[in-house]
Amino acid sequence: MKNNKDKIKVLTIFGTRPEAIKMAPLINRLKQEELIEARVCVTAQHREMLDQVLDLFKITPDFDLDIMKKNQTLTQITSRVLEGLEAVIREADPKIILIHGDTTTTFAGALAAFYHQVKIGHVEAGLRTCNKYSPFPEEMNRTLTGHISDFHFAPTFRNKQNLLKEGIPENRIYLTGNTVIDALIETSKKEYSFSDPELLKVDFNKRIITVTCHRRENLGEYMQNIFYALRDLTEMFSDIEIVFPVHLNPKVRSIAAEILGDIERIHLINPLEYQPFVKLMSMSYLIITDSGGLQEEAPALGKPVLVVRKETERPEAIEAGTVKLAGVQRKAIFEMARDLLFHRKEYDRMAKAVNPYGDGKASDRIVKIIKESFGI
Ligand code: UD1
Ligand code: UDP
């Protein structure tokens, strides 16, 4: 057994719900390693939605910047994270900082690591739309993060190709799969029955459409279009129920309440913990979303997904046939969903379990790479 001072110090930094879900398996895997001292810093760019995940995966952060403010701006998040991380990085003195994906916490975390000349490992590296403003600000967050990172943990071969095209040296890119599949497999193994009173009101004998929608570039007219399309669907189909756990962003909540508030068979509920949410997805007929993570999870569960965005950085599941890009126009979204609800053959073609994103062992691979790179 080595002394604490000989251990590799790894500091993981994250702040939002999806980062927490995707980093949790990796953190718990790092903690099993005797020769690694794994510490966790949350920026708490999200608060309640982050804490739900920390509780489920039993992660107690060593540092909590607690930066979230209602209706926070990108500048506020970036500057609070950068300032808050000064003292944390000084105290933790890590050999490597791990950040995840494409949020503003990700970019500010990578920048703070760079300012302290600490090595950076980017988990979920190499996703690109190549459109600076879509998704906004995620496309630039992940591109800039990629260019200051030292280790690039790419989920898919295509992600690796994207990085190579940008001149990232091949020997710094590691094909690992996506840790979301690690989290999904671990979570779906556990028995779970719904206890949320809102979910108990849903008639699961009907066909369930699970909806999530929160992207900044969809706020406003596009989000209105998406929500009107949902209303149109309930008018045409009496055998569907829509379950929509609404993101805590006040801007999303007000548009949802205004357009979907009093519609029969549309359940606007609070964000669900990860376990009930996975169960809800697995009981759904169809998923309509602009989320990144759902595009990776739903195909693994064999659930067709309509992505209500103009483009996606996750084309793998589209190519595999379980995801379709539905755009952000009311009529097109309605028609695409209507066809899947009417035509069983078309539905069955999409509803097959495919999983281009990993085998549940991404965290193992990342830990092995870190150990080898630091001489263990
Ligand atoms: C953020 C990320 C986005 C990611 C998404 C996942 C950025 C710029 N955006 O977007 O990439 O896909 O998280 O959900 O990094 N709020 C709460 N409680 C919470 C969480 C949010 O009240 O637990 C409210 C706050 O008023 C907050 C607002 O939601 O100001 C928006 O949160 P923010 O993190 O700025 O943006 P998201 O849209 O959540
Ligand atoms: N999720 C959850 N509860 C919910 C909605 C989503 O646990 O009520 C999970 C979902 O399974 C996925 C992640 O949160 O793993 C997606 O987060 P979000 O949509 O906020 O962000 P994105 O994936 O778009 O970055």
Side-chain angles (χ1 to χ4, degrees):
M1 172 86 174
K2 285 198 175 187
N3 286 328
N4 257 0
K5 70 177 175 44
D6 300 324
K7 292 185 178 186
I8 309 167
K9 292 183 184 173
V10 179
L11 177 66
T12 306
I13 300 174
F14 57 95
T16 66
R17 168 173 67 190
E19 293 164 85
I21 291 170
K22 290 169 165 184
M23 283 305 226
L26 176 56
I27 291 163
N28 286 335
R29 185 63 194 73
L30 283 165
K31 284 194 187 288
Q32 290 168 12
E33 290 294 324
E34 252 192 40
L35 298 179
I36 289 180
E37 185 187 318
R39 299 178 88 185
V40 172
C41 173
V42 294
T43 63
Q45 175 180 332
H46 285 175
R47 187 71 273 172
E48 304 89 321
M49 286 161 61
L50 173 75
D51 293 342
Q52 285 182 332
V53 184
L54 297 176
D55 289 348
L56 174 68
F57 288 94
K58 302 192 170 48
I59 293 171
T60 310
D62 301 279
F63 307 93
D64 188 335
L65 304 185
D66 199 21
I67 66 152
M68 197 195 84
K69 294 269 181 294
K70 209 173 167 196
N71 281 317
Q72 58 204 0
T73 66
L74 297 176
T75 306
Q76 287 169 332
I77 305 171
T78 311
S79 53
R80 283 194 200 116
V81 171
L82 269 178
E83 285 206 18
L85 285 178
E86 280 279 348
V88 171
I89 297 178
R90 228 178 295 120
E91 190 192 325
D93 187 28
K95 273 271 173 285
I96 177 168
I97 286 181
L98 298 176
I99 34 88
H100 179 279
D102 57 18
T103 71
T104 294
T105 285
T106 312
F107 171 58
L111 192 58
F114 169 67
Y115 287 163
H116 288 81
Q117 298 190 19
V118 178
K119 292 250 181 295
I120 304 165
H122 187 196
V123 181
E124 197 177 280
L127 282 69
R128 296 287 186 272
T129 59
C130 298
N131 179 346
K132 188 171 167 181
Y133 291 106
S134 175
F136 175 81
E138 290 82 1
E139 181 67 9
M140 286 318 288
N141 280 345
R142 60 192 168 217
T143 305
L144 296 167
T145 299
H147 285 270
I148 45 176
S149 291
D150 302 278
F151 297 82
H152 306 261
F153 302 114
T156 69
F157 182 68
R158 183 189 293 266
N159 303 148
K160 176 174 174 177
Q161 296 297 109
N162 288 339
L163 293 167
L164 289 172
K165 270 191 241 154
E166 289 176 13
I168 306 289
E170 184 157 18
N171 63 2
R172 294 215 240 128
I173 308 172
Y174 304 89
L175 201 55
T176 57
N178 197 315
T179 55
V180 76
I181 304 297
D182 305 18
L184 183 68
I185 291 175
E186 188 186 326
T187 306
S188 12
K189 265 198 245 158
K190 296 178 193 149
E191 279 294 310
Y192 185 81
S193 313
F194 290 137
S195 55
D196 186 309
E198 293 300 318
L199 283 176
L200 295 176
K201 289 185 202 153
V202 178
D203 179 1
F204 282 97
N205 293 315
K206 294 211 160 73
R207 293 189 288 179
I208 303 299
I209 302 181
T210 294
V211 173
T212 75
C213 193
H214 69 83
R215 302 229 76 83
R216 266 181 162 74
E217 69 276 9
N218 276 346
L219 288 170
E221 187 192 330
Y222 294 160
M223 203 168 274
Q224 290 169 352
N225 293 343
I226 296 164
F227 294 170
Y228 278 117
L230 299 177
R231 264 169 69 153
D232 298 343
L233 287 170
T234 54
E235 277 162 26
M236 173 162 264
F237 295 93
S238 57
D239 69 330
I240 63 169
E241 298 242 338
I242 293 181
V243 186
F244 181 178
V246 187
H247 193 289
L248 293 181
N249 186 341
K251 295 189 180 106
V252 176
R253 292 178 86 79
S254 70
I255 305 175
E258 188 188 316
I259 299 175
L260 303 173
D262 285 317
I263 309 292
E264 215 191 323
R265 287 178 291 109
I266 298 189
H267 304 264
L268 297 185
I269 62 175
N270 280 320
L272 290 170
E273 289 177 23
Y274 190 52
Q275 229 178 345
F277 189 73
V278 169
K279 172 119 180 165
L280 176 66
M281 281 195 288
S282 69
M283 292 175 78
S284 297
Y285 187 80
L286 173 67
I287 291 169
I288 300 181
T289 188
D290 67 0
S291 148
L294 266 74
Q295 295 176 57
E296 297 153 344
E297 293 163 336
L301 298 168
K303 301 298 169 182
V305 182
L306 296 183
V307 176
V308 281
R309 289 172 54 181
K310 285 190 188 171
E311 54 213 321
T312 178
E313 61 289 83
R314 295 170 168 90
E316 295 86 352
I318 294 187
E319 282 152 15
T322 44
V323 170
K324 277 188 179 171
L325 204 54
V328 287
Q329 298 305 327
R330 177 175 180 171
K331 188 160 172 275
I333 298 165
F334 167 74
E335 287 176 354
M336 235 183 229
R338 179 199 62 194
D339 289 351
L340 286 175
L341 289 161
F342 262 137
H343 302 299
R344 189 70 214 195
K345 245 193 183 158
E346 176 54 14
Y347 178 84
D348 288 341
R349 248 200 303 273
M350 281 184 83
K352 50 186 187 229
V354 294
N355 187 354
Y357 297 109
D359 57 1
K361 297 192 169 62
S363 304
D364 286 344
R365 292 192 187 95
I366 294 170
V367 171
K368 188 161 176 269
I369 293 158
I370 293 173
K371 282 168 63 182
E372 284 174 3
S373 305
F374 287 92
I376 303 183

